[in-house]
Amino acid sequence: MAYVPGVALLAALAVGCSAGSGGGASDADSKPGNPAVTTAPPGKYRTLPAPCRAVPDSTLKDLLPGIAQLSRQQQEKALRGAATITYDTDRKVGCSWKSTAPDSSRNLTIDFERVVSYDPAVSDEDRARALYVKKENAAELPGTGGGSPEKGKGATASAGGEEKETPKPGDDQGSADPSASSSAASSPSASASASASASGEPGPSGSGDEDLRPRVLDGLGDAAFLDDLLTRAGSTAQHRTVSVVFRTSNVLVTVRYGEQPALVTKVPDSKELQEKARSLARKLAEVISG
């Protein structure tokens, strides 16, 4: 009889603990306001093209005319290109080619970057959009005020970028007067000439009123822009590099096409380089989409 109260007490404690633990689990499950965890959708593209095989030989021979003057064995080596060294070929790949002819040397580089967001709340495409905006802002395209059409879709990026050796051809120097900006856009040749005079370097060369200044491009991927940079180091010949950058879903593509004439007094032609760079960019967009 002396042990009965102790047994009863143990039994009561066991019942109490069991009820308490069960009630706690029930309370945790029934707590209001627990948000459902949502993960942003993955990017459309999971792989990248083989960059050194992405450009047909016929296109390479057109872009790099010096290749046609080589022997067959030399041509095969030149057409293979040189793969860009990267640490993750599933995320970023590239390839470059170059050729030398009696009148000029030309070089071509293409880069593919598949963007992956490690933030479950940010999709791969949104991350790629933000990176594209950053590249466009860094290019400081004339007449855009450092902005981008893609900013309206929620992407944000700070302006800025690498310093250029030569002011951009046709740059309107960020005029605050909207009417002046509109006037410059309607007369690109006049704007380019004014910029060339100020910088001491010739602006993009072309015929008629065609706008050859760095600019946003339509009809290429989800967003695209073209940059045109003329540089000169000391007494060497002038070198012009045309870059086309575009985004398609979560993939960023960059095409850089340059020429350096053999003659110091000759200026590489913007129109030809821009047309060929844009044509190649369109072909690469088709390669990506399959």
Side-chain angles (χ1 to χ4, degrees):
M1 293 298 291
Y3 295 101
V4 171
V7 172
L9 177 61
L10 290 174
L13 288 173
V15 172
C17 290
S18 175
S21 61
S26 175
D27 290 344
D29 291 340
S30 61
K31 280 182 180 178
N34 282 342
V37 178
T38 58
T39 303
K44 178 179 179 180
Y45 299 106
R46 301 297 186 90
T47 60
L48 291 172
C52 292
R53 296 198 297 270
V55 186
D57 288 353
S58 58
T59 302
L60 287 173
K61 290 179 180 179
D62 178 55
L63 293 169
L64 308 167
I67 290 180
Q69 303 173 21
L70 302 175
S71 65
R72 169 174 282 187
Q73 186 176 5
Q74 291 173 323
Q75 282 190 30
E76 291 176 354
K77 181 179 179 180
L79 292 171
R80 281 199 296 268
T84 303
I85 298 176
T86 61
Y87 296 100
D88 188 354
T89 55
D90 189 48
R91 292 280 306 279
K92 192 170 185 178
V93 294
C95 194
S96 61
W97 300 262
K98 61 181 180 180
S99 71
T100 301
D103 59 339
S104 69
S105 62
R106 300 201 184 193
N107 57 280
L108 170 69
T109 301
I110 61 173
D111 290 307
F112 298 103
E113 181 179 0
R114 185 176 67 87
V115 180
V116 176
S117 172
Y118 294 101
D119 184 346
V122 179
S123 70
D124 294 345
E125 184 167 348
D126 284 342
R127 175 62 178 157
R129 181 181 293 115
L131 291 177
Y132 168 84
V133 169
K134 186 175 181 179
K135 288 177 179 288
E136 185 181 308
N137 286 343
E140 299 178 346
L141 307 181
T144 64
S148 167
E150 291 230 320
K151 281 192 174 180
K153 301 178 184 178
T156 58
S158 60
E162 59 184 296
E163 187 175 331
K164 308 295 185 182
E165 294 182 34
T166 308
K168 288 191 178 303
D171 196 340
D172 59 9
Q173 302 300 322
S175 170
D177 184 356
S179 61
S181 216
S182 173
S183 174
S186 64
S187 182
S189 57
S191 176
S193 298
S195 175
S197 299
S199 65
E201 297 285 0
S205 55
S207 59
D209 293 331
E210 184 177 2
D211 191 347
L212 297 175
R213 296 174 300 170
R215 61 199 180 278
V216 172
L217 300 175
D218 295 325
L220 177 59
D222 296 313
F225 71 87
L226 178 148
D227 199 3
D228 189 322
L229 180 63
L230 183 67
T231 59
R232 184 170 186 168
S235 59
T236 61
Q238 299 180 85
H239 187 280
R240 186 181 295 281
T241 301
V242 171
S243 301
V244 175
V245 180
F246 70 91
R247 179 186 71 82
T248 174
S249 188
N250 63 313
V251 172
L252 299 176
V253 181
T254 301
V255 174
R256 287 185 293 274
Y257 182 43
E259 179 186 10
Q260 180 170 311
L263 295 176
V264 177
T265 56
K266 186 177 180 182
V267 179
D269 181 56
S270 282
K271 184 176 182 181
E272 179 196 2
L273 296 180
Q274 289 190 20
E275 286 179 349
K276 290 186 175 183
R278 292 182 64 182
S279 176
L280 175 58
R282 287 191 292 268
K283 291 178 180 178
L284 295 180
E286 294 174 359
V287 169
I288 292 174
S289 62

